[in-house]
Amino acid sequence: MIRRVLPPLAPALIALLVFVAFPMLWVVRTSFNELEAGAYIVDALTLDNYTRFLGDSWYLINTLWFSIRIALIATAISVVCAYPVALYIARTAGLQRNILLALIMAPLLIGLVTLVYGWIVIFRGGGLLNSLMIALHVYDQPVRYMWDIKGVVILLVYIGAPYVVLSLLDSIERISPFLVEAARNVGASRWTAFWKIVFPLTMPGLYAGIVIVFALNFSAFAVPLMIGDSNTQMIGLVVYREALLNNDLPFASALSVIMVAVNAMILMGMAVFFGRLILNRLEVKR
Amino acid sequence: MSDDAIQVSGVVKRYGATTAVDNVSFNVAQGEFVSLLGPSGCGKTTTLRMIAGFVEPTAGALRVNDRDVTHLPPEKRELGFVFQNYALWPHMTVAENVGFGLKLRRKSRTFIREKIAESLSVTGLSGYEDRLPRQLSGGQQQRVALARALALEPQVLLMDEPLSNLDRALRVTMRRELKELQARMKMTTLYVTHDQEEALSLSNRVVIMNKGRVEQVAAPYELYENPATSFVADFVGITNFLEGSAVGVDGGSMGVRLRSGQVLRAVAKTAVTPGAEVRALIRPERVTLTTKPVDGENVLSGQVILSEYFGAVLRYSVRLDGGEILRAEVHNFDNFVETGAKVWICVLPEHLRIIPQEGQG
Ligand SMILES: Nc1ncnc2c1ncn2[C@@H]1O[C@H](COP(=O)(O)OP(=O)(O)OP(=O)(O)O)[C@@H](O)[C@H]1O
Ligand SMILES: [Mg+2]
């Protein structure tokens, strides 16, 4: 099996090794080095860079826990927004469906910078959103969205929701309509048939969507950089600042390792949770 | 009150320009086993799904147990339904699949547990409670689908080709079990199939459908012996058609003048006007065939163009002197007749069925 699969994959595996595995190993190695006089990297084997982050409750609360919280909130909102959209698209066909799919994917195709500047028009003090909300008497003073965590969450949702829609759509379309009819036949209302049959069977898609979006959100850096304020210390942004602004590569490397490790731990936790919940029943082999 | 468990009256279903079901009417009596039989695409499934409430009829009315269900949602109809592909819920165990409907009805736990055990034992699946559908063979899945329908003790059971995904041997076994089960439970059953053997062996009556219409509703014996249309004659079993015109119509007797000019006597069962274009139907096993010249009424002569030996039966194709091809099937009492032999064929008047010609049909 492996012998037959390996040769055609060789170029890809080599590329993966050169462009992913080596840099990662290099990052891990650098994370144990020391920074001398705030400028020179000295080869060493020290855990200082790790303790500087993990031993500092300010970092733990304002960076690590903050990132987890924002990522969870944005992921949850993405799911809530994406689910009805996916259900709706699953019922369409032909041109209507293609148009809807194109609209859903559009945010992923437009460059992030363009996207963000588009949203600035909507978010800023006298922008569309504030004008609308004030006109509707939801509130009467402009609310600050830009350079605030609200804007960060809105944009993370905006970027994340399409992934959830697409992965949910795949799951929904795999559900045979006969399964719903069978439920209706034994006495389930539309609503019961949805909750007891359709919803559980969309779990694989929901899980895939949540995993992708949570990982993206947790390590987000461009969105917090462009829209966040000085309190938006999301971990990806801190890595960027330490590496490129403060030139502290060993610390930035340690942060990266922590970021990847925490991300992996949370994703494994989700795998166990969803597996127990339902996937173990559905999946043939993983 | 009526004796009928299911009444289908003038039901029509159109999909855009196509008419899937075209003015279909038939009844199923209490406790009766009725099959819907017809070629692929004739509207059997659509008819069944309209009764179950999965498809909204374009016109017509449906009554189940003297209740108008035409516009009732499926969950209010209280009918059992077995799907062609079983439609088991993949995330539920066998027991959960079977018990789902009972749980929705808020029955007590013990009641549900007993009912699940009972349905599974009836379908021969005891011990499989905790399996998931994907851990079952096709035949076992089929039984779960049946158990799921039976658990709710429906008065009416609808089945859409429940055996078509099984291999032949299993199909025959399941067919027998199904028949026993239905007889024991006295459930009114409407069964869709395109397998005539299945329909004839299971049913009290069969509804033959073609192109969205009902061709004939009759007991299996009637369908075979007295097909109402040439479609039915052709679809159920094998039939010879001889074309001609009606002559000498006289009470219970009539004649058919074939193309060769020869006249065959037949027992008249339907009203036919003299001179009308008709078809004479003869079952291959109803003819007698000899190599010795015979004289008399209803004798046709011809030449064997194909003879096939099957052990117990012998099959011949004979080109009649009028040019028609007639198939004959005889039991192996006589000598085998070789291809090319001159033969004489006798048909009794009561074995000839006369049907007016329908258009080009
Ligand atoms: N949802 C639909 N949209 C359009 N046409 C349909 C639809 N459902 C059925 N039809 C058409 O209606 C006709 C009858 O279909 P139906 O499924 O009832 O046939 P059937 O007798 O069950 O055939 P089979 O033996 O192949 O299952 C077919 O011509 C089919 O193409
Ligand atoms: Mg069908």
Side-chain angles (χ1 to χ4, degrees):
Chain A
M1 176 68 186
I2 284 182
R3 234 180 255 163
R4 249 185 300 141
V5 169
L6 222 44
L9 286 180
L13 288 177
I14 291 170
L16 213 63
L17 208 65
V18 172
F19 295 110
V20 179
F22 287 157
M24 293 242 312
L25 284 176
W26 184 81
V27 167
V28 172
R29 177 65 193 92
T30 309
S31 71
F32 297 111
N33 286 342
E34 273 174 11
L35 194 72
E36 193 105 318
Y40 306 100
I41 299 173
V42 178
D43 276 346
L45 273 179
T46 171
L47 289 174
D48 284 359
N49 296 310
Y50 288 92
T51 49
R52 187 173 149 202
F53 183 86
L54 295 173
D56 186 338
S57 63
W58 189 90
Y59 272 129
L60 289 182
I61 293 168
N62 292 296
T63 295
L64 190 59
W65 175 236
F66 180 75
S67 302
I68 294 174
R69 227 181 54 202
I70 295 302
L72 283 177
I73 292 171
T75 306
I77 300 176
S78 299
V79 167
V80 171
C81 295
Y83 209 106
V85 175
L87 282 178
Y88 181 77
I89 295 179
R91 292 165 151 269
T92 60
L95 184 64
Q96 191 192 4
R97 179 192 185 85
N98 288 338
I99 291 173
L100 286 172
L101 282 177
L103 286 176
I104 290 296
M105 306 237 262
L108 305 179
L109 302 176
I110 302 168
L112 190 62
V113 174
T114 321
L115 208 67
V116 167
Y117 285 107
W119 276 95
I120 289 175
V121 175
I122 297 172
F123 282 159
R124 72 194 154 85
L128 283 173
L129 187 58
N130 273 320
S131 312
L132 187 72
M133 290 309 212
I134 291 168
L136 292 175
H137 300 289
V138 178
Y139 47 70
D140 45 39
Q141 288 300 312
V143 167
R144 190 185 178 104
Y145 293 102
M146 288 306 295
W147 301 286
D148 188 87
I149 194 64
K150 287 200 266 324
V152 173
V153 171
I154 292 177
L155 258 164
L156 289 179
V157 167
Y158 185 67
I159 296 166
Y163 291 102
V164 186
V165 169
L166 293 182
S167 93
L168 271 175
L169 195 58
D170 176 64
S171 261
I172 295 171
E173 313 233 287
R174 283 169 197 272
I175 301 173
S176 152
F178 295 128
L179 296 183
V180 175
E181 287 178 354
R184 300 288 301 277
N185 178 249
V186 298
S189 63
R190 261 172 214 280
W191 183 243
T192 311
F194 174 79
W195 276 115
K196 300 289 183 177
I197 309 297
V198 177
F199 185 69
L201 292 177
T202 56
M203 281 298 178
L206 198 61
Y207 169 67
I210 286 176
V211 163
I212 297 170
V213 171
F214 180 84
L216 284 176
N217 289 345
F218 179 67
S219 48
F221 119 84
V223 170
L225 174 71
M226 285 191 269
I227 299 194
D229 63 352
S230 57
N231 289 328
T232 313
Q233 301 283 342
M234 288 187 71
I235 191 161
L237 188 55
V238 177
V239 172
Y240 159 82
R241 205 177 53 212
E242 293 299 333
L244 298 180
L245 301 183
N246 296 348
N247 260 326
D248 191 344
L249 279 184
F251 186 47
S253 299
L255 279 178
S256 303
V257 172
I258 291 168
M259 180 169 87
V260 171
V262 170
N263 214 340
M265 267 155 41
I266 292 175
L267 296 187
M268 278 189 301
M270 286 182 185
V272 171
F273 174 74
F274 275 90
R276 289 253 172 81
L277 197 65
I278 185 150
L279 295 190
N280 289 346
R281 281 185 162 210
L282 290 177
E283 277 306 302
V284 190
K285 293 257 158 20
R286 264 190 290 172
Chain B
M1 274 300 280
S2 129
D3 258 1
D4 292 319
I6 307 176
Q7 292 173 279
V8 179
S9 332
V11 166
V12 176
K13 179 65 194 179
R14 286 195 200 92
Y15 290 106
T18 52
T19 306
V21 172
D22 190 2
N23 196 16
V24 162
S25 304
F26 62 89
N27 294 347
V28 182
Q30 293 290 351
E32 198 182 17
F33 195 121
V34 170
S35 290
L36 289 178
L37 176 66
S40 187
C42 71
K44 307 180 293 289
T45 297
T46 308
T47 305
L48 199 72
R49 289 167 55 78
M50 283 192 282
I51 299 171
F54 305 143
V55 174
E56 178 95 8
T58 312
L62 297 159
R63 296 180 72 83
V64 173
N65 288 328
D66 264 311
R67 187 165 62 132
D68 186 349
V69 299
T70 317
H71 302 292
L72 229 49
E75 64 267 29
K76 298 263 166 65
R77 297 196 184 192
E78 293 174 357
L79 301 161
F81 199 100
V82 178
F83 291 80
Q84 182 169 9
N85 51 15
Y86 319 137
L88 300 178
W89 301 302
H91 58 302
M92 297 187 191
T93 61
V94 167
E96 287 167 339
N97 264 280
V98 175
F100 185 64
L102 295 162
K103 220 167 135 188
L104 291 177
R105 282 166 180 69
R106 304 189 181 287
K107 303 285 187 200
S108 76
R109 269 164 187 274
T110 36
F111 179 83
I112 294 178
R113 201 164 346 103
E114 279 166 19
K115 207 72 216 162
I116 291 172
E118 186 189 317
S119 311
L120 290 181
S121 105
V122 166
T123 49
L125 275 175
S126 303
Y128 288 87
E129 284 80 358
D130 296 326
R131 295 263 195 115
L132 288 165
R134 65 177 157 89
Q135 298 165 326
L136 299 175
S137 72
Q140 289 165 339
Q141 292 184 27
Q142 207 287 327
R143 285 161 202 259
V144 177
L146 188 60
R148 181 171 71 183
L150 295 180
L152 295 171
E153 298 181 353
Q155 289 175 25
V156 173
L157 184 60
L158 309 176
M159 292 195 257
D160 189 3
E161 308 208 23
L163 307 182
S164 65
N165 288 339
L166 306 177
D167 66 54
R168 197 184 145 70
L170 189 56
R171 204 155 62 218
V172 173
T173 319
M174 291 289 295
R175 189 165 81 199
R176 219 164 279 145
E177 287 180 18
L178 206 59
K179 181 153 193 168
E180 280 168 20
L181 200 67
Q182 196 266 341
R184 188 145 38 97
M185 301 201 152
K186 300 190 176 57
M187 243 174 334
T188 308
T189 306
L190 184 57
Y191 187 95
V192 162
T193 179
H194 62 250
D195 178 339
Q196 54 160 300
E197 202 182 307
E198 220 166 86
L200 298 182
S201 67
L202 282 171
S203 320
N204 301 116
R205 285 188 307 144
V206 180
V207 178
I208 303 271
M209 289 184 69
N210 181 30
K211 296 180 183 155
R213 293 175 161 274
V214 172
E215 292 271 339
Q216 187 172 7
V217 184
Y221 169 85
E222 275 292 304
L223 285 180
Y224 193 78
E225 303 298 336
N226 281 319
T229 64
S230 24
F231 175 84
V232 176
D234 205 25
F235 192 75
V236 182
I238 296 169
T239 310
N240 293 298
F241 293 100
L242 297 179
E243 293 181 359
S245 54
V247 292
V249 181
D250 166 28
S253 168
M254 63 176 291
V256 182
R257 188 186 303 283
L258 300 181
R259 268 187 271 162
S260 61
Q262 194 178 352
V263 175
L264 288 179
R265 301 286 335 154
V267 175
K269 287 183 182 156
T270 40
V272 181
T273 47
E277 295 289 302
V278 294
R279 287 174 146 184
L281 313 183
I282 314 163
R283 295 286 180 192
E285 72 276 12
R286 291 296 196 195
V287 304
T288 50
L289 178 144
T290 64
T291 47
K292 297 182 199 73
V294 192
D295 254 354
E297 208 184 45
N298 283 9
V299 174
L300 299 160
S301 59
Q303 192 179 24
V304 175
I305 56 170
L306 179 70
S307 60
E308 295 170 292
Y309 182 82
F310 287 95
V313 292
L314 313 173
R315 293 205 183 117
Y316 303 106
S317 293
V318 178
R319 190 195 306 281
L320 300 179
D321 293 343
E324 301 98 334
I325 307 287
L326 187 107
R327 280 184 288 182
E329 185 178 299
V330 297
H331 284 274
N332 193 1
F333 299 135
D334 303 317
N335 291 331
F336 185 53
V337 180
E338 296 292 344
T339 306
K342 177 98 178 134
V343 289
W344 282 262
I345 285 169
C346 296
V347 192
L348 294 176
E350 58 266 37
H351 291 156
L352 266 180
R353 166 102 187 139
I354 309 302
I355 291 176
Q357 281 197 33
E358 313 122 21
Q360 283 300 92

